[in-house]
Amino acid sequence: MSDFYRLLPYVRPHTGKLTVSLLLLVLAGLAEVLTTGLALPLFDSILLKQPEQGNAHKLKVLVDSMMNLLPGNELLQLSLALLILTAAKGLCLYFSNYKMSHVGQSVVMQLRNTLNRHVLSQSLGFFSLNSTGRLISRMNSDVEQVQEAVSTSLADLFRESVLLVALVAWVFYIDWMLASLAMLIAPAALGMTLTMGRRIRHASLRSRENVASLSDLLQQSISGVKIVKAFGMERHEETRFGSAAAALFRSNMRAARILFLNSPVMELLAVACFIPLLYYAHSTIAEGRLTLGVYGASLFSLFRMYDPIRKLSRLHVQFQRAFASAGRIMELLDTHVEIHDRAAARPLENFSRSIEFRDVSFDYRDASGTSRVLRNINLLVERRMVVALVGSSGSGKSTLVSLIPRFYDVAAGAVLIDGTDVRDLTQESLRRHISLVTQDTFLFNDTVRNNIAYGDIRADEKLLREAAEASFAHEFIMQLPMRYETVIGERGQRLSGGERQRISIARAILKNAPILILDEATSALDSESERLVQRALSNLMRDRTTFVIAHRLSTIRSADLIVVLQAGRIVEAGTHESLLDKGGLYDRFHRLQTQAGWLPVAEGAAFP
């Protein structure tokens, strides 16, 4: 419940609309009560012509004062009153429900935006611990549960509560003894509602977890469909999905058993409560203390009360389901944002001198709990230098370059740009000065134009075309069915690996950032594609400070500085020739690749 209360800040801006909606609900409740009051003249004055007795007199005065405002005889007045009250109630309910729906949809839209902003602000370590499918489930399925509660159930809650209060007051006004007998159902109904609510909340929480598991499996099997098919694991994935779907089915059916038991039990309680009302009515009518009109008006009101009682009981159960989802949403919002701008952070206006790693250490734990480290890294990179990072897998190359754009923050030491700690710079301005091209190229399911323009969405057609030409992508783009307007599919699956890489290079060229990170950008390409991509990278690297991670040493031979890492430490640094002369780890890598045929006997420089 406390998690649901935390949604109140999203509701406060809409207090005015909620107030108007509540007033309209009160008017609708009043119209409903007056409609039930018309049962008195219908029975006593029109159908049965009974004399006024007991409580009939005070009710007759109240109803007559309303009907005398209308023209015609008593039957016409009654007919007009029914029409006017029904129309008034309908209009009030329409505008009230519309405003409540507007508030609910607005709250959920703000909640979605907040969740999306919160998730995008997390560091990469957060995403290594939280699967895509589970995040999508919380941001989509759980939010939909809250949306139903805020936009629909909340309106029903206000409407039925107002109507119930109005009807209870009306029945007590008619005959307090009759009303007291009718209230015998209240403790049992309340107890049953609270018990069912607790059980449905637990069942809903399990159901939400099962939905997350199902989403996770679905996301993995679809995104990894090539591997699934390559290893012939379709049946295995079907079995896994079927098991998860069955678990969700069982959770939903447990919730359904509780949910659908509510209405018949409430109906049974209502009928059980109606029996003493019959005995009371029989004796009081026989004694002349109660007219059939008063009893009919009371009975009609009591039957009308059953509907809001039943709905409120069902709404309580629905809110419990929403509380379970709200708890999961708030758990996600409470996740610590590891990377944030300091209060005094300033924008990086221009990169002009150097990037320095000053006694940098870094530790983190991934989902498997394995600790990976960088230790005491000291490195100075002057502007426009090409620095190559070499080392075996797990030596810390990618982690080291990830500290520059603050995908992670250092555990000790500092990364400085022009002498300023990157933590003292705003993330937006810092990353605006950095371009990234990786082996695992990510392209959006959008047009070629929009994928290139992702580097600078404000760039004009001329700059976009020049970026494509500089990356040697323009020629193959012009051969696509819709040229630059061709949609390239999820992750660019309609393009070859080399074409995808050249699109990503065009994106980086268009961004025109002074710092460039190339993370094994050519390791997954064939020889012909690699040749074209290398030429494109040569254009991209011109006049930029570049960090290159590459397993193929032939691609970094002409780098200004080659840094060799082992177990998170720098063990060697120098030019290609000087490192070969040392006969250390770099020389060993070089000889191994030469013997394996990775390096030609006469190497050519890949980068300018």
Side-chain angles (χ1 to χ4, degrees):
M1 187 71 173
S2 59
D3 291 324
F4 208 72
Y5 282 140
R6 291 175 60 184
L7 295 175
L8 289 179
Y10 299 94
V11 178
R12 280 195 198 98
H14 309 283
T15 304
K17 290 186 179 68
L18 283 174
T19 303
V20 172
S21 180
L22 189 57
L23 289 174
L24 290 171
L25 286 176
V26 171
L27 293 176
L30 180 60
E32 180 76 24
V33 168
L34 292 175
T35 301
T36 62
L38 295 178
L40 175 67
L42 177 65
F43 281 101
D44 284 352
S45 301
I46 297 176
L47 298 180
L48 300 176
K49 303 292 184 181
Q50 285 191 347
E52 299 172 9
Q53 303 178 58
N55 290 336
H57 177 68
K58 65 177 182 178
L59 292 178
K60 185 92 168 54
V61 171
L62 179 64
V63 174
D64 283 350
S65 63
M66 175 183 67
M67 294 183 61
N68 287 336
L69 299 174
L70 302 174
N73 58 32
E74 198 167 18
L75 183 57
L76 179 60
Q77 289 176 337
L78 179 64
S79 302
L80 289 174
L82 280 171
L83 283 173
I84 292 171
L85 289 173
T86 302
K89 182 183 74 172
L91 284 172
C92 290
L93 287 178
Y94 170 77
F95 286 107
S96 175
N97 288 336
Y98 180 81
K99 286 187 176 295
M100 284 295 299
S101 180
H102 185 276
V103 171
Q105 295 292 342
S106 298
V107 167
V108 169
M109 180 181 68
Q110 291 175 276
L111 182 60
R112 287 187 193 276
N113 291 337
T114 301
L115 276 171
N116 183 61
R117 184 168 56 251
H118 179 77
V119 169
L120 289 179
S121 67
Q122 298 290 336
S123 72
L124 294 187
F126 168 83
F127 295 97
S128 68
L129 297 172
N130 294 274
S131 67
T132 303
R134 290 186 177 276
L135 289 175
I136 291 175
S137 173
R138 294 200 185 194
M139 297 173 69
N140 192 20
S141 179
D142 285 319
V143 170
E144 285 179 359
Q145 284 284 341
V146 174
Q147 176 178 343
E148 181 182 350
V150 175
S151 63
T152 303
S153 299
L154 194 60
D156 291 341
L157 175 65
F158 283 165
R159 181 175 64 251
E160 301 305 328
S161 297
V162 168
L163 179 59
L164 181 61
V165 170
L167 287 172
V168 168
W170 173 247
V171 171
F172 270 97
Y173 177 76
I174 295 174
D175 191 306
W176 69 269
M177 181 61 75
L178 201 65
S180 299
L181 290 172
M183 292 301 108
L184 292 174
I185 191 177
L190 180 62
M192 186 196 70
T193 299
L194 293 177
T195 301
M196 287 188 172
R198 285 192 296 268
R199 294 180 63 188
I200 200 74
R201 183 169 185 175
H202 292 308
S204 296
L205 190 58
R206 286 194 296 270
S207 176
R208 293 297 95 203
E209 291 293 340
N210 289 330
V211 168
S213 298
L214 198 67
S215 298
D216 192 33
L217 284 174
L218 192 60
Q219 188 272 333
Q220 290 185 60
S221 61
I222 292 176
S223 61
V225 66
K226 185 182 293 186
I227 298 300
V228 172
K229 290 183 175 297
F231 285 84
M233 296 296 285
E234 290 93 340
R235 289 290 179 86
H236 174 70
E237 292 300 324
E238 288 175 12
T239 302
R240 292 176 67 199
F241 187 87
S243 298
L248 176 60
F249 171 79
R250 289 191 294 271
S251 296
N252 286 340
M253 291 311 298
R254 278 194 293 269
R257 281 199 298 270
I258 303 169
L259 184 63
F260 297 129
L261 183 64
N262 182 70
S263 289
V265 171
M266 289 295 295
E267 189 171 352
L268 180 63
L269 287 174
V271 171
C273 181
F274 179 66
I275 294 174
L277 294 182
L278 286 176
Y279 281 95
Y280 173 77
H282 181 268
S283 61
T284 52
I285 290 174
E287 294 171 4
R289 293 186 291 110
L290 185 71
T291 68
L292 189 58
V294 173
Y295 179 68
S298 303
L299 197 60
F300 184 61
S301 300
L302 289 171
F303 273 119
R304 187 66 188 88
M305 281 171 57
Y306 165 72
D307 194 44
I309 291 174
R310 179 181 58 83
K311 286 182 178 178
L312 286 172
S313 178
R314 193 180 184 97
L315 283 171
H316 176 76
V317 172
Q318 290 175 353
F319 271 113
Q320 290 299 325
R321 299 172 71 176
F323 293 160
S325 292
R328 285 165 47 83
I329 291 171
M330 292 307 162
E331 182 183 356
L332 178 57
L333 284 176
D334 288 339
T335 305
H336 176 59
V337 179
E338 298 174 14
I339 308 296
H340 55 84
D341 288 341
R342 289 176 173 174
R346 60 180 179 82
L348 175 61
E349 300 295 344
N350 187 33
F351 168 58
S352 59
R353 297 195 308 275
S354 65
I355 299 173
E356 181 183 0
F357 295 82
R358 185 179 294 173
D359 202 25
V360 166
S361 295
F362 175 76
D363 298 80
Y364 71 87
R365 291 187 176 274
D366 60 17
S368 65
T370 304
S371 178
R372 303 180 181 181
V373 297
L374 289 173
R375 285 285 178 264
N376 307 114
I377 300 295
N378 287 282
L379 179 65
L380 180 64
V381 179
E382 300 291 343
R383 183 169 177 260
R384 295 180 179 172
M385 283 182 63
V386 175
V387 178
L389 301 177
V390 177
S392 57
S393 296
S395 60
K397 304 183 298 296
S398 295
T399 302
L400 182 63
V401 296
S402 294
L403 298 177
I404 303 172
R406 289 191 71 196
F407 293 155
Y408 306 101
D409 267 344
V410 298
V415 179
L416 301 101
I417 293 182
D418 290 343
T420 301
D421 192 327
V422 294
R423 290 169 294 186
D424 292 325
L425 301 171
T426 61
Q427 294 178 68
E428 188 276 331
S429 66
L430 172 65
R431 291 168 185 169
R432 192 172 62 243
H433 284 74
I434 301 170
S435 288
L436 176 67
V437 180
T438 66
Q439 172 188 351
D440 185 22
T441 302
F442 185 89
L443 298 178
F444 295 92
N445 185 22
D446 205 339
T447 63
V448 172
R449 178 188 307 281
N450 289 341
N451 271 283
I452 297 176
Y454 208 75
D456 183 2
I457 58 175
R458 294 166 295 185
D460 58 27
E461 187 74 19
K462 180 175 179 292
L463 289 175
L464 190 142
R465 183 69 60 90
E466 289 175 353
E469 290 173 349
S471 67
F472 300 97
H474 176 72
E475 184 177 348
F476 83 77
I477 292 173
M478 297 305 290
Q479 296 175 2
L480 295 174
M482 300 291 291
R483 298 181 179 180
Y484 279 85
E485 302 304 325
T486 303
V487 177
I488 58 178
E490 186 176 0
R491 301 181 69 91
Q493 290 299 317
R494 296 180 185 177
L495 305 178
S496 68
E499 289 170 342
R500 289 197 297 271
Q501 199 66 288
R502 279 177 277 165
I503 292 290
S504 72
I505 293 170
R507 182 168 61 191
I509 290 174
L510 186 65
K511 185 177 182 181
N512 197 27
I515 302 169
L516 175 64
I517 297 173
L518 304 177
D519 192 348
E520 302 188 56
T522 64
S523 61
L525 303 178
D526 57 70
S527 299
E528 183 178 355
S529 295
E530 183 179 4
R531 180 180 58 81
L532 286 170
V533 169
Q534 292 288 10
R535 291 173 62 193
L537 288 173
S538 296
N539 290 334
L540 174 60
M541 293 170 60
R542 189 172 294 119
D543 296 326
R544 289 180 171 86
T545 305
T546 305
F547 292 83
V548 182
I549 299 174
H551 282 304
R552 298 183 186 179
L553 302 186
S554 60
T555 63
I556 59 169
R557 187 172 183 269
S558 60
D560 297 308
L561 179 65
I562 298 174
V563 178
V564 184
L565 286 94
Q566 185 177 39
R569 298 178 183 272
I570 295 178
V571 294
E572 293 178 356
T575 63
H576 174 73
E577 289 77 12
S578 66
L579 291 176
L580 289 180
D581 291 340
K582 284 183 180 179
L585 189 59
Y586 181 82
D587 179 59
R588 177 170 169 267
F589 287 153
H590 185 270
R591 283 186 283 106
L592 286 173
Q593 291 194 13
T594 303
Q595 293 167 6
W598 287 20
L599 297 175
V601 176
E603 300 170 2
F607 298 145

